[in-house]
Amino acid sequence: MDRGILEREPELARLAAAAREATDGAGSVALVFGEAGIGKSSLVRAMPDRLPDRARILVGQCDDLATRRPLGPFRDLVGRVGVGLARAVTAGGDRHRVHEALLEELAVTPHPAVLVVEDVHWADEASLDALRFLVRRMERLPALLVLTYRDDELSRGHPLRHLLGQISRAPRVHRLPLARLSLDAVRTLSTPGGLDPAQVYEVTSGNPFFVAEVVAAGGTGGVPPTVVDAVLARLRGLDGATVDALEQLAVVPSAVERPLVDALLTDGVAVLAAAEQRGLLAVDPERVAFRHELIRRAVADSLPAARRIDLDRKVLAALVARPGADTARIVHHAARAGDQDAIARYGPDAARDAAGAGAHREAAAQLRLVLRQRHRYAPADLADLLERYAVESYTIADSAAAVAAQRDAVTLRRSLGDVLALGADLRWLSRIHWWAGDADQAEEAAREAVAVLEHAGDDRLLALAVSNTAQLRMLSDRYAEAVEHGERAIALARKAGDAAILSHALNNVGTARWRAGDADGRLQVQESLDVALAAGEVEHACRSYANLIWNLLDHLRYDEADTFLRPAMELADRAEHLGFLTYLHVELAMRRLAAGDWDEAEKHAEFGMHDFVPARCPALTVLARVRIRCGRPGADELLAEAWEIAVRTKELQRTGPVAAARAEAAWLRGDLTAVAEAVASVHAQAYGLPGSPCRDELAYWLTKAGGPAPADGSEHPYAVQARGRWRTAATRWQEAGCPYEYAAALAESPDPADKLTALAAFDALGAEPAARLLRAELRARGVRHVPRGPLAATRRNPAGLTERQLQVIRLLAQGLTNAEIAARLVLSVRTVDNHVRAVLDKLDAPTRRHAADRAAELGLLSGRGES
């Protein structure tokens, strides 16, 4: 075996087997992960010898640029793939064209394609989007997709986590975590050089790259104290021209294509021969790359700042001189070299390229860099840049940045006297203020937008401003006003022939009517969706989906909501509209909460736990309700923040659920006064809105606190339950698919047999607080043989793991793979995958190693193991 890939035979065998399966059309995804230097790239380099004959291997690299190259790893494939894919990724502006070209490239038969994307933790947004597209289709392709990444660099909010979550649900996935080398392997590598294997192992902890560097530096007279020292020691003895060339290439965070090498190295590639012989570089006719990213970093980080700036300037000059150079790379080196003129010149184009490719995070980052030089632009050009930055920030759910940029744009438009542009910007400002959770500022900007555009002569802009006003009225439960403004907007939109605004206005009117109790309003929301989809208006389609789903959930029509959730999330995911994708995840969390699937509810609610206010408030509420019902701490803090956000929005759809959750928490701790206080003011607001879905739940909690039963005749299960018809309510909750609410209704029966049935349901859900109250009531009534209930592992550990999750973490800590855990516990691998993901989330651990360490700290590994 190649000494560089010791102890990797099982992983290579699995990859080879997956490639053979792909030959038969059974494509799959392989995840190769571990810490820096663990041997991911070495494994990839060893793959070709193990693959089926004539298999095509395509390798693309994600680079550690300050702002990533849109479609960077796929651009690396140009020259090795067909014309269609090459042209698509080079143009970059049409994501769907890129996706279809990738699909066509991998669908070529009869020989399987192995597409490797290295260092996906550095992937740009457009590349992640393309990978999501492929992952959904791999099982039908004669191809293997291999992704390598550093699992110890993935924070909870890392963009890669969403892709990994999607992959976890794919039918065929191979997870290949790479372990460090054993002492025996280190002995094999270090003994020929006369080094002490134990000392090498102690310094490197078995990291393959570190071992290789220490062994290679062994001739320096001992084991270096750091790996950086080992890398730099290998430069000693090289002549000055070679070292200069290495340093020049080291400031380029990617493989360096041959034309750029020739432009940077006046003596040509021959000067690199000695460095190549020492294993520092890989040189081929098309490009030059450091053998490992850590080598490049060690060389680059050793440079004095002045030297590095000078080298970056040379790269910048070479890139600018080349027609068609990647603007993202130009801006990266301009920023590193401190060339503000180049940033100002090329930054806007880099942002436009990124936005066109769907890389909105990268577009926002480029514009953020550009706007540090705002004094270089004329007022009109600066206003345009600010508008673009606001829109990109809005798209990626960075509300604070979006508000600040749009305010600055409005200020500039006022000074320029451009009435139409000012009106358009005010309308956007209103939308962004609402997105940020500031109802008063949204209303103020909306009023001014309509006033500015009323007589400006542009029906389209006026229609959008009026529709925006209708939206705000609908959200603040002023339904009649919403319909009035919305119908005017519909007429103006039809006159202007604008499908996007027509969809927006139909959505507002339909939702207002539906919430007011007019069931036909749903038809207008559906029409809004149809109009948006037909016109390709993704944002408006996502909003229509979101309103449809929210109202169906409110009306307990869960099966119907399910039919919309999947296509809605696929659309938002495909379009990378992160704000709506986040919102839809939270709606799915609400759906899973209702179904009693609390692990899944928490998982999806976590998507809303950032600065995107419209999603954060309901996400906090879902997370709090799970903790309340499971008896886990922290719910009060979550509800306090949710309430603060809800009050600022002045929307009953926010305040109502938070108030109900606070009431439920108070009830379970036996505080009837707090129950009434939690809902009284919000119920008073909802009382005048007969169609409001939260009205009945708030009234129910008031009756639980001793208030009168509602007398309005509502047939909502909460209203029926509040009037004492607990059996009817229980039946309706059961039919709706709400097991917790079903048990709570059944628990109100005077019959002990019903109460015992409810107790069993609570125990099955892990609803410890409700079960504890019901047990106490049964005992107080003299019922004998009240079941003790499960020895809930959830109550015995501070992480809130279920008994099954405790079994999984204990086996995981022993080093077992998911497949081995599945075999040990007689479960499917997919079920174990879900348990492992839930364990990582609950322990707030980015990797399996971190989870095992955290579990040990909490004392969770001391229980009886499985055998």
Side-chain angles (χ1 to χ4, degrees):
M1 182 186 291
D2 184 336
R3 290 174 60 199
I5 54 167
L6 289 174
E7 301 184 332
R8 296 292 184 254
E9 189 60 35
E11 290 83 1
L12 287 168
R14 284 188 67 184
L15 289 170
R20 287 193 297 272
E21 292 168 0
T23 305
D24 299 326
S28 58
V29 182
L31 301 177
V32 179
F33 54 93
E35 64 191 16
I38 200 66
K40 300 181 290 295
S41 296
S42 297
L43 189 75
V44 169
R45 286 194 295 271
M47 280 175 55
D49 293 339
R50 311 301 180 92
L51 297 178
D53 291 341
R54 301 183 67 185
R56 293 186 304 141
I57 183 163
L58 305 170
V59 182
Q61 177 74 45
C62 301
D63 302 319
D64 189 20
L65 290 168
T67 301
R68 319 296 188 209
R69 285 189 302 155
L71 298 172
F74 303 109
R75 291 175 188 265
D76 287 347
L77 305 180
V78 174
R80 291 173 285 163
V81 294
V83 174
L85 179 56
R87 288 177 176 171
V89 298
T90 302
D94 187 339
R95 282 175 297 144
H96 298 300
R97 180 184 171 196
V98 172
H99 297 173
E100 293 301 327
L102 276 169
L103 200 61
E104 291 175 8
E105 186 71 33
L106 297 183
V108 174
T109 55
H111 306 297
V114 178
L115 173 59
V116 181
V117 181
E118 291 209 70
D119 294 326
V120 189
H121 52 279
W122 288 329
D124 65 283
E125 189 175 356
S127 296
L128 290 174
D129 185 24
L131 291 173
R132 279 191 283 269
F133 176 85
L134 286 179
V135 164
R136 288 192 289 268
R137 294 159 177 80
M138 285 306 299
E139 63 175 310
R140 301 189 297 275
L141 290 173
L144 170 64
L145 175 62
V146 181
L147 306 179
T148 77
Y149 63 95
R150 297 181 187 174
D151 62 333
D152 56 351
E153 293 194 7
L154 302 186
S155 62
R156 180 181 290 274
H158 196 287
L160 179 57
R161 279 205 175 274
H162 179 228
L163 174 62
L164 295 178
Q166 180 183 326
I167 291 172
S168 71
R169 297 187 290 276
R172 283 187 288 275
V173 182
H174 313 280
R175 290 174 176 79
L176 305 176
L178 300 186
R180 294 176 177 181
L181 298 178
S182 68
L183 178 57
D184 285 342
V186 173
R187 182 177 293 109
T188 299
L189 293 171
S190 56
T191 300
L195 298 178
D196 180 353
Q199 189 179 16
V200 175
Y201 187 79
E202 181 180 357
V203 170
T204 65
S205 299
N207 180 289
F209 171 75
F210 296 170
V211 172
E213 293 308 305
V214 168
V215 170
T220 62
V223 177
T226 70
V227 174
V228 172
D229 289 341
V231 173
L232 297 180
R234 298 174 67 185
L235 271 62
R236 295 173 195 148
L238 294 174
D239 62 46
T242 300
V243 173
D244 287 345
L246 282 172
E247 291 177 349
Q248 178 64 79
L249 298 181
V251 302
V252 183
S254 60
V256 188
E257 62 274 23
R258 182 61 181 273
L260 183 56
V261 173
D262 292 340
L264 293 173
L265 306 183
T266 56
D267 295 331
V269 294
V271 74
L272 301 173
E276 183 183 12
Q277 289 172 345
R278 293 198 181 188
L280 294 166
L281 293 172
V283 179
D284 64 42
E286 296 179 348
R287 68 196 69 212
V288 174
F290 281 88
R291 189 175 61 79
H292 198 287
E293 170 65 11
L294 291 176
I295 297 177
R296 185 195 71 79
R297 283 192 175 188
V299 175
D301 292 348
S302 70
L303 298 173
R307 168 76 169 147
R308 179 156 189 158
I309 289 170
D310 183 59
L311 295 174
D312 273 306
R313 281 180 178 161
K314 290 178 180 177
V315 178
L316 174 62
L319 289 172
V320 168
R322 293 174 58 199
D326 190 322
T327 51
R329 294 178 72 187
I330 290 175
V331 174
H332 169 82
H333 290 285
R336 302 285 299 200
D339 190 330
Q340 306 303 332
D341 289 335
I343 293 172
R345 179 177 177 184
Y346 294 100
D349 289 340
R352 188 174 289 107
D353 291 346
H360 298 291
R361 290 190 190 92
E362 284 69 35
Q366 296 286 10
L367 288 166
R368 192 180 305 119
L369 189 62
V370 164
L371 288 169
R372 294 176 187 171
Q373 309 298 318
R374 59 176 64 195
H375 61 278
R376 295 174 181 269
Y377 301 95
D381 293 334
L382 178 57
D384 288 340
L385 289 170
L386 287 164
E387 290 166 5
R388 288 170 56 190
Y389 181 49
V391 170
E392 295 300 331
S393 298
Y394 163 85
T395 303
I396 64 173
D398 186 349
S399 300
V403 167
Q406 193 63 20
R407 277 178 171 167
D408 288 349
V410 166
T411 300
L412 279 171
R413 294 302 185 194
R414 291 191 201 280
S415 68
L416 292 169
D418 187 337
V419 174
L420 291 178
L422 174 60
D425 275 356
L426 283 165
R427 200 284 309 176
W428 253 115
L429 180 60
S430 174
R431 174 64 174 167
I432 292 171
H433 270 308
W434 177 82
W435 209 248
D438 196 328
D440 291 338
Q441 293 290 335
E443 287 279 3
E444 182 180 336
R447 281 193 298 271
E448 187 179 358
V450 173
V452 167
L453 294 168
E454 190 70 65
H455 304 293
D458 190 314
D459 286 339
R460 178 188 168 281
L461 287 178
L462 179 58
L464 188 51
V466 173
S467 187
N468 179 69
T469 300
Q471 179 185 13
L472 294 175
R473 298 292 191 275
M474 176 268 290
L475 291 167
S476 59
D477 307 302
R478 295 147 71 180
Y479 300 136
E481 295 176 43
V483 171
E484 179 185 353
H485 287 286
E487 288 180 342
R488 183 189 178 198
I490 290 171
L492 286 166
R494 292 191 192 281
K495 181 180 177 181
D498 193 298
I501 302 173
L502 177 60
S503 171
H504 190 270
L506 285 166
N507 194 344
N508 297 327
V509 173
T511 303
R513 290 176 58 199
W514 197 356
R515 288 187 178 179
D518 182 353
D520 288 341
R522 175 183 173 175
L523 299 177
Q524 279 184 295
V525 183
Q526 183 72 57
E527 182 184 358
S528 163
L529 175 61
D530 294 341
V531 168
L533 290 173
E537 293 288 346
V538 172
E539 179 183 355
H540 295 287
C542 287
R543 181 169 170 262
S544 299
Y545 270 128
N547 282 353
L548 269 171
I549 294 163
W550 189 283
N551 281 283
L552 288 169
L553 294 176
D554 273 346
H555 288 89
L556 312 184
R557 297 164 76 169
Y558 297 112
D559 290 342
E560 290 182 68
D562 289 340
T563 66
F564 289 106
L565 272 163
R566 183 180 181 86
M569 296 181 79
E570 287 182 351
L571 177 64
D573 187 7
R574 194 164 58 246
E576 284 299 315
H577 205 302
L578 299 185
F580 275 116
L581 181 60
T582 297
Y583 204 77
L584 290 163
H585 269 290
V586 174
E587 289 186 321
L588 181 53
M590 295 162 62
R591 168 69 179 103
R592 301 320 305 160
L593 175 71
D597 188 353
W598 294 340
D599 284 346
E600 284 293 298
E602 285 188 303
K603 182 185 78 174
H604 289 285
E606 287 287 351
F607 279 83
M609 293 300 288
H610 53 62
D611 292 337
F612 175 42
V613 172
R616 185 173 180 85
C617 184
L620 288 163
T621 308
V622 169
L623 291 171
R625 280 204 121 141
V626 170
R627 294 191 182 198
I628 290 166
R629 293 177 178 184
C630 291
R632 293 187 354 232
D636 289 344
E637 293 81 359
L638 295 172
L639 287 176
E641 183 183 348
W643 182 249
E644 182 180 350
I645 294 172
V647 169
R648 280 184 59 215
T649 67
K650 298 185 175 180
E651 295 173 9
L652 190 59
Q653 67 172 339
R654 311 285 179 227
T655 57
V658 181
R662 295 171 84 181
E664 182 177 354
W667 168 259
L668 289 173
R669 64 175 182 264
D671 190 342
L672 298 185
T673 301
V675 171
E677 290 175 349
V679 298
S681 62
V682 185
H683 177 260
Q685 179 187 355
Y687 187 75
L689 300 168
S692 172
C694 69
R695 180 173 180 261
D696 294 313
E697 184 176 6
L698 296 171
Y700 166 75
W701 285 114
L702 279 178
T703 63
K704 294 286 280 184
D712 58 7
S714 169
E715 289 299 305
H716 188 285
Y718 270 127
V720 172
Q721 196 170 338
R723 292 196 294 271
R725 295 166 54 196
W726 54 267
R727 190 174 295 281
T728 300
T731 300
R732 291 184 182 176
W733 286 123
Q734 190 173 40
E735 290 171 349
C738 301
Y740 183 86
E741 287 78 3
Y742 158 76
L746 203 60
E748 295 182 359
S749 166
D751 186 342
D754 289 327
K755 290 184 181 295
L756 288 169
T757 301
L759 180 60
F762 282 141
D763 283 340
L765 288 167
E768 192 273 338
R772 185 180 64 249
L773 288 178
L774 190 51
R775 279 192 173 84
E777 183 182 351
L778 286 165
R779 291 186 181 112
R781 288 170 173 255
V783 176
R784 296 184 178 181
H785 309 301
V786 176
R788 292 180 58 192
L791 294 176
T794 306
R795 297 199 297 271
R796 293 182 170 185
N797 67 82
L801 301 185
T802 65
E803 187 169 359
R804 179 66 79 187
Q805 288 164 359
L806 280 171
Q807 294 171 341
V808 167
I809 186 58
R810 287 166 184 162
L811 294 173
L812 184 153
Q814 295 173 28
L816 274 65
T817 66
N818 287 14
E820 291 167 338
I821 294 172
R824 187 77 63 89
L825 298 179
V826 196
L827 298 171
S828 71
V829 175
R830 187 168 183 177
T831 297
V832 173
D833 291 344
N834 291 333
H835 283 311
V836 169
R837 187 169 61 247
V839 166
L840 293 180
D841 285 344
K842 288 185 177 182
L843 294 175
D844 195 20
T847 69
R848 298 162 74 93
R849 290 194 300 275
H850 285 87
D853 291 344
R854 177 67 175 147
E857 292 172 5
L858 296 173
L860 303 180
L861 305 183
S862 58
R864 179 179 57 85
E866 297 299 309
S867 60

